[in-house]
Amino acid sequence: MSTAIEFNHVSKQYRLGLVSTKTLSHDIRRFWITNVLGKEDPYLKIGETNDRASKGNSEYVWALRDIDFKVEQGDVVGIIGKNGAGKSTLLKLLSRVTGPTTGTIRAHGRIGSLLEVGTGFHGEMTGRENIFMNGAILGMTRHEIQAKLDEIIDFSGCERYIDTPVKRYSSGMTVRLGFAVAAFLDPEILVVDEVLAVGDAEFQKKAIGKMKDVSQGQGRTVLFVSHNMGSIRSLCKRGILLENGSIKADGEVNSICDMYLSDSLVNLGAAWEHPFSPNKDFQITKVELLDSKGKGKNLFSCDEEWHIRMTAHVKKRIPGIYGYLQFNKADGVAAWISDSNDVMMNKLETLPLGESQIDITIPKRTLAPGSYSVYLNFTSSQNISGFNVDSPFDVCVFNITDNHTYRGDSRGGYLSTLLDWNIVGK
């Protein structure tokens, strides 16, 4: 299988706040040193990692630093990472919107890109005219574009407005038409940024289906950026995780998604504590994950019973108080929930004043193997004015392991419940 995309030690440097380096004389000097004298660019020796959350000392930042990877023809690769990690910059470099500061990029085949709402569209031109213009830019003949025109218009769902200037389109309509143009004009490489989130649920489903068809049915290469891990997992086989402009991990998509999602819970473990506040009516100050012997841990067997123990401080009894417990999978999907009203019938109202403990037993075979976070919330059905309660969100993380495998594969899904298999009759 041939290589479709190749990044060789690619870096991209930006100067914050201004275009170019500083003055015309600096730009001429930089051009003279690098292009005439053939020496190393002096500006490459300065610059800081692109960490958007912290203030730096340099006005130069590396949006990307030493990016090195290959994508084979027909591969579907998800590019993930936090805002500012360099995902959009990487796709802009590949789409030739901008050039790399150092390194080389090789792409074999025609690239269809959807990087921003309205990318490549002229607002004064109609939707139909923009389709022909984009096709011409991709090197297609008018006859080739005309053959795809009905499919593009039908997929976009913008038939009524196709002869209306694009400047009058909503952002959702613009994305619909932009994706249809990028996907249907026969690109060997399809590059899609997270703009699909602008579309409605129906269109997102259609777009994911089309990208699957482009990659699996037609053998095209797809690079897909999204914060929706469900879409990444369903579409991609490989994931690349970017962090502060560098590749943190590259591998099988599920493990890469799990790594990305676990970063937000990195400070959580088998126990969670919160300072006691004397002015709270009801407060949870500690949450612990315990095994059957009362030992704190956050790694349990699928066939093991374990406990969640909460330390509660009650200053004033609250009518209608109830608790809500939820286990979320690594992709953020709720896998299991429990409401204290289901079994306790306002038992929390009888908690004594002062400090006490609430214990919840998690039976064996409740959850399938995997990584989970614990979401906890307390509220009141009485809607009491001035209700003063601490309601933590994700408080702990834990893992469920598998004791055995089936046909060589670990059990998947959310639940792994013991059920009776009864034989009825002969």
Side-chain angles (χ1 to χ4, degrees):
M1 188 175 292
S2 60
T3 300
I5 301 168
E6 187 174 351
F7 276 64
N8 293 309
H9 304 289
V10 172
S11 299
K12 180 63 178 180
Q13 186 188 73
Y14 287 109
R15 183 173 185 231
L16 299 178
L18 298 172
V19 179
S20 81
T21 53
K22 194 170 186 181
T23 64
L24 179 60
S25 62
H26 282 196
D27 289 339
I28 294 175
R29 180 173 179 271
R30 187 178 187 183
F31 176 83
W32 180 265
I33 291 173
T34 57
N35 292 276
V36 179
L37 300 182
K39 295 182 179 180
E40 183 181 8
D41 188 341
Y43 288 92
L44 300 184
K45 298 178 182 180
I46 59 177
E48 296 178 333
T49 299
N50 186 28
D51 184 356
R52 62 182 172 82
S54 62
K55 182 175 177 61
N57 297 315
S58 174
E59 57 189 356
Y60 294 93
V61 296
W62 292 99
L64 292 174
R65 193 72 182 262
D66 199 29
I67 301 297
D68 198 50
F69 68 90
K70 293 181 180 180
V71 178
E72 301 300 321
Q73 182 181 348
D75 281 356
V76 186
V77 182
I79 311 295
I80 61 179
K82 297 178 181 179
N83 291 330
K87 305 183 298 298
S88 296
T89 300
L90 187 150
L91 297 191
K92 287 177 180 178
L93 291 175
L94 176 61
S95 303
R96 299 185 178 92
V97 174
T98 185
T101 305
T102 64
T104 58
I105 301 171
R106 293 186 175 88
H108 304 281
R110 188 158 53 200
I111 300 175
S113 301
L114 184 62
L115 303 181
E116 296 174 358
V117 176
T119 298
F121 283 174
H122 193 294
E124 299 295 335
M125 297 170 65
T126 67
R128 189 187 304 273
E129 291 168 341
N130 272 290
I131 293 173
F132 279 94
M133 181 183 71
N134 275 266
I137 292 172
L138 289 173
M140 300 178 69
T141 65
R142 186 175 182 83
H143 178 74
E144 289 174 324
I145 302 169
Q146 188 68 50
K148 297 284 184 179
L149 185 62
D150 289 342
E151 288 182 284
I152 293 173
I153 296 173
D154 180 64
F155 187 91
S156 71
C158 299
E159 183 173 5
R160 187 171 185 177
Y161 302 91
I162 200 64
D163 292 309
T164 299
V166 168
K167 68 180 181 180
R168 299 196 177 98
Y169 285 19
S170 69
S171 58
M173 289 171 59
T174 306
V175 166
R176 280 174 168 267
L177 185 60
F179 179 84
V181 169
F184 279 86
L185 291 182
D186 291 335
E188 280 80 21
I189 301 169
L190 179 60
V191 179
V192 182
D193 208 339
E194 52 199 347
V195 291
L196 290 187
V198 177
D200 54 31
E202 176 211 3
F203 176 69
Q204 289 184 41
K205 185 176 181 180
K206 284 177 61 177
I208 294 296
K210 179 59 182 177
M211 285 191 281
K212 284 184 177 179
D213 179 60
V214 166
S215 60
Q216 298 172 6
Q218 303 174 27
R220 311 296 173 109
T221 306
V222 178
L223 260 65
F224 181 42
V225 165
S226 178
H227 284 120
N228 186 325
M229 294 301 104
S231 298
I232 291 285
R233 290 178 195 268
S234 67
L235 178 66
C236 308
K237 294 182 178 179
R238 175 184 170 194
I240 296 177
L241 176 58
L242 295 180
E243 183 176 84
N244 295 334
S246 299
I247 294 179
K248 182 178 181 180
D250 181 352
E252 193 273 328
V253 67
N254 287 313
S255 62
I256 297 299
C257 288
D258 288 345
M259 181 183 298
Y260 167 66
L261 291 165
S262 66
D263 284 348
S264 62
L265 304 171
V266 70
N267 294 322
L268 301 179
W272 173 92
E273 293 191 62
H274 188 72
F276 172 70
S277 178
N279 60 349
K280 296 287 186 181
D281 295 337
F282 180 95
Q283 185 181 25
I284 298 295
T285 58
K286 190 173 185 179
V287 180
E288 300 173 274
L289 308 184
L290 308 172
D291 64 16
S292 58
K293 297 180 181 179
K295 180 182 177 182
K297 64 179 189 178
N298 61 350
L299 179 63
F300 304 99
S301 162
C302 185
D303 295 298
E304 175 183 4
E305 178 183 285
W306 54 284
H307 304 265
I308 297 177
R309 182 165 297 163
M310 291 168 272
T311 300
H313 291 265
V314 181
K315 180 181 177 182
K316 184 176 75 174
R317 290 210 172 95
I318 303 164
I321 187 172
Y322 66 95
Y324 180 86
L325 173 66
Q326 178 174 306
F327 295 154
N328 295 323
K329 286 279 280 187
D331 57 7
V333 175
W336 182 91
I337 61 173
S338 177
D339 190 317
S340 66
N341 276 336
D342 294 339
V343 292
M344 296 179 71
M345 296 306 293
N346 292 328
K347 281 186 180 180
L348 293 183
E349 289 184 344
T350 66
L351 280 170
L353 298 180
E355 181 180 311
S356 57
Q357 291 184 324
I358 305 168
D359 196 89
I360 301 174
T361 299
I362 311 300
K364 64 180 181 179
R365 289 299 189 93
T366 296
L367 295 168
S371 299
Y372 300 86
S373 63
V374 178
Y375 170 92
L376 187 63
N377 190 26
F378 287 86
T379 187
S380 171
S381 60
Q382 303 298 311
N383 296 319
I384 299 170
S385 178
F387 184 41
N388 198 4
V389 173
D390 271 336
S391 296
F393 296 119
D394 289 299
V395 291
C396 297
V397 292
F398 64 94
N399 288 277
I400 302 293
T401 61
D402 206 347
N403 286 346
H404 53 282
T405 59
Y406 297 88
R407 299 189 182 94
D409 296 321
S410 295
R411 286 170 286 178
Y414 297 155
L415 306 177
S416 182
T417 307
L418 287 170
L419 302 174
D420 287 332
W421 290 49
N422 295 314
I423 298 175
V424 180
K426 294 183 180 180

